[in-house]
Amino acid sequence: REIYRARYITGPKFHELTDPRLFALLVDSGVNSGPQRATMWLQAAAGAKIDGSIGSQTLAAVQAADPSALYKKILCARLRHYAQIVARSRSQAAFIEGWINRGCEFIDPLELPT
């Protein structure tokens, strides 16, 4: 548990995010695709400098942004990432169903974009 917490929660500073849904999405994205990649998705969604490290500027950009919009942008980036993996290597298609199912666990049907 401590290794998991250090590698996927406190190390990348996801614990400093105040929105619980965003926190959960980033931790799971970090476990699945690496914490640096998940951080870069957060930074891109928030319009922050993309350097793969959460600092005061990233946190300020996240605080200034709409959490629902960030969430949707990060989830879309994650799903696109799966498609890019398969496009680069067809042998990875064997995993796409599991990746998509895992990503879909973060879709709240009441909050889908209209």
Side-chain angles (χ1 to χ4, degrees):
R1 286 184 181 172
E2 288 306 312
I3 292 170
Y4 184 92
R5 183 182 323 277
R7 186 164 186 173
Y8 300 108
I9 298 172
T10 58
K13 299 185 182 178
F14 294 148
H15 67 290
E16 295 191 26
L17 301 171
T18 58
D19 183 271
R21 291 180 66 227
L22 194 56
F23 167 80
L25 176 61
L26 283 162
V27 170
D28 191 70
S29 295
V31 169
N32 192 244
S33 300
Q36 185 175 30
R37 185 180 314 274
T39 298
M40 291 167 66
W41 291 335
L42 171 68
Q43 291 169 325
K49 178 182 175 188
I50 301 172
D51 61 9
S53 179
I54 294 178
S56 60
Q57 291 180 353
T58 297
L59 291 172
V62 169
Q63 283 295 98
D66 173 30
S68 291
L70 288 178
Y71 186 93
K72 290 170 189 170
K73 288 178 183 180
I74 293 164
L75 185 54
C76 285
R78 179 176 173 170
L79 295 174
R80 284 185 189 104
H81 175 67
Y82 299 148
Q84 291 166 352
I85 290 171
V86 173
R88 283 192 308 268
S89 175
R90 289 289 181 200
S91 67
Q92 297 300 303
F95 305 107
I96 195 70
E97 184 177 358
W99 293 335
I100 296 298
N101 286 337
R102 186 173 180 159
C104 285
E105 290 177 11
F106 288 89
I107 297 174
D108 181 345
L110 300 176
E111 297 203 21
L112 287 175
T114 56

